[in-house]
Amino acid sequence: MSILLAVTGWDPGVWVQRMRALLPDHRITTPETLQDRAAIRYAVSWRHAPGALADLPNLQAIFSLGAGVDHMFGDPQLPEAPIVRIVDPDLRDRMSEWVMLHTLLHHRQQRRYDRQKLQRIWDDDESQPAARDVRVGILGLGVLGQDAARKLSMMGFDVAGWSRSPHRIEGIACLHGGEGLDALLARTDILVCLLPLTTRTRAILNASVFARLAKGGRFGGPVLINAGRGALQVEADIVAALDSGVLKAASLDVFETEPLPATSPLWTYPNVFITPHNAAISEPSAVAAYIAGQILSLERGQQLENVVDRTRGY
Ligand code: NDP
Ligand code: OXD
């Protein structure tokens, strides 16, 4: 039985090595070395080239090397086989670290102290709000959003979350649907986006949403934190909102175009933190173990887990 590893932008070598070690009875191949298409039972994809998974008559599952699966849907020849996404504590914890770090960087005004340090200024002038007086709104209450919500809540922040369907999470105000979004925005000082990119969420982080965020919060304007996908945000609207003061600051891990072009104005804002789409990397050992575990349990007759709903797009 063979596994086809089709990745773009990442070194396939490390993944081939990990998968071989965990599945010694399976042959791991890449599109470049693929000979027997009928032998392929599983595909492993990260932004695979369109058509790379076509004509695999015995394909049983497609594994995404990321939690997000939007990278596959641009392929007009994507096979019908079930798509499995990553749900893994290593990736989840990495994302929550990033979200907590960036929430705290804004909450504790770290940029201000960085500037003061460069100028050797000792100024403890400004009052520091308590976490309980800061309202965090999380878009997306899935695996990543729920974990970040719980951890921020444990730190004392006043946390609400928004999803497509209703949820109940102790200590978190859970909202959903169109009205829920209005209510969430109206009570949000720090907006954290952990949504998947779908036809319904594309460009959701736009001028209209920024204008509905809470005014009169503790930072002199709301803060945007996005680690979902770049196409969730309208960067021209972020720049305009930063210029007009509708947004006070931002932390962005994902961008409309990646790598973020050197010409992007986002680089120039002192109050915008930029990270290179590595809020939660897919750590090869953890993710290969997750995929190998799913393959072995499928071969023992069990069901695949974390299968994507193609009609919802996530
Ligand atoms: P999940 O599928 O577990 O959760 C998605 C959440 O978004 C769910 O709560 C879902 O609602 C909600 N949602 C989806 N569509 C809508 C909508 N139209 N309106 C309101 N809510 C909606 O995903 P994960 O938490 O695992 O991951 C989220 C995303 O994070 C990934 O898709 C990926 O894009 C991104 N990511 C980024 C990384 C990075 O390094 N920057 C790393 C890993 C992931 P419901 O609960 O009702 O279904
Ligand atoms: C993911 C990512 O989806 O790294 O896992 O973006």
Side-chain angles (χ1 to χ4, degrees):
M1 266 187 252
S2 296
I3 300 172
L4 176 63
L5 180 84
V7 300
T8 304
W10 289 358
D11 172 16
V14 63
W15 293 96
V16 171
Q17 194 190 26
R18 296 292 198 291
M19 303 284 298
R20 276 202 185 122
L22 291 161
L23 296 167
D25 297 335
H26 295 67
R27 192 179 139 73
I28 319 291
T29 183
T30 62
E32 295 73 32
T33 55
L34 176 59
Q35 286 173 347
D36 182 1
R37 303 191 81 86
I40 301 294
R41 292 286 188 286
Y42 313 106
V44 176
S45 159
W46 181 249
R47 296 170 51 221
H48 68 259
L53 311 188
D55 304 324
L56 302 172
N58 296 310
L59 190 68
Q60 290 177 19
I62 305 170
F63 295 92
S64 168
L65 280 184
V69 291
D70 50 289
H71 62 95
M72 293 190 197
F73 291 127
D75 178 0
Q77 297 180 73
L78 187 66
E80 287 300 319
I83 297 172
V84 177
R85 66 191 203 90
I86 298 178
V87 174
D88 178 70
D90 180 273
L91 186 143
R92 180 202 65 201
D93 292 348
R94 287 168 192 267
M95 181 58 86
S96 288
E97 278 175 14
W98 187 89
V99 171
M100 286 189 291
L101 169 69
H102 284 271
T103 303
L104 288 173
L105 286 174
H106 295 288
H107 172 58
R108 298 303 302 248
Q109 309 162 63
Q110 187 56 42
R111 273 295 206 249
R112 174 181 179 235
Y113 299 116
D114 288 344
R115 281 194 298 273
Q116 288 186 191
K117 188 209 167 221
L118 285 174
Q119 297 170 293
R120 304 184 184 215
I121 292 173
W122 182 281
D123 176 5
D124 64 355
D125 211 16
E126 215 162 305
S127 69
Q128 172 62 51
R132 67 178 172 278
D133 293 329
V134 173
R135 297 162 296 176
V136 181
I138 301 189
L139 301 180
L141 280 177
V143 174
L144 304 183
Q146 286 200 25
D147 193 61
R150 286 200 179 90
K151 288 174 178 167
L152 289 168
S153 174
M154 276 166 59
M155 292 173 88
F157 290 100
D158 180 359
V159 182
W162 181 70
S163 52
R164 191 184 48 83
S165 59
H167 286 270
R168 281 171 75 91
I169 308 170
E170 201 184 329
I172 314 291
C174 295
L175 301 156
H176 68 280
E179 281 180 19
L181 179 60
D182 285 340
L184 178 116
L185 296 173
R187 50 89 68 216
T188 291
D189 302 313
I190 299 182
L191 184 67
V192 176
C193 180
L194 290 173
L195 286 167
L197 177 63
T198 68
T199 48
R200 300 185 73 136
T201 60
R202 182 174 291 275
I204 192 169
L205 300 174
N206 58 39
S208 152
V209 156
F210 304 149
R212 286 181 276 157
L213 287 164
K215 295 170 185 69
R218 303 300 297 262
F219 305 121
V223 174
L224 170 67
I225 297 181
N226 182 22
R229 278 291 179 268
L232 296 167
Q233 71 199 16
V234 180
E235 286 169 17
D237 288 3
I238 296 177
V239 166
L242 288 165
D243 285 342
S244 65
V246 168
L247 284 178
K248 176 77 175 177
S251 288
L252 305 173
D253 182 60
V254 287
F255 300 90
E256 287 174 4
T257 302
E258 294 179 4
L260 181 63
T263 52
S264 169
L266 289 169
W267 291 110
T268 63
Y269 288 82
N271 48 349
V272 174
F273 290 90
I274 288 178
T275 54
H277 195 150
N278 65 356
I281 60 158
S282 295
E283 199 284 315
S285 298
V287 171
Y290 166 80
I291 294 172
Q294 287 247 36
I295 288 176
L296 293 174
S297 63
L298 184 69
E299 291 176 357
R300 283 194 302 269
Q302 288 161 345
Q303 299 285 312
L304 288 168
E305 290 175 359
N306 307 313
V307 174
V308 169
D309 180 334
R310 288 196 191 214
T311 55
R312 289 197 319 228
Y314 69 97

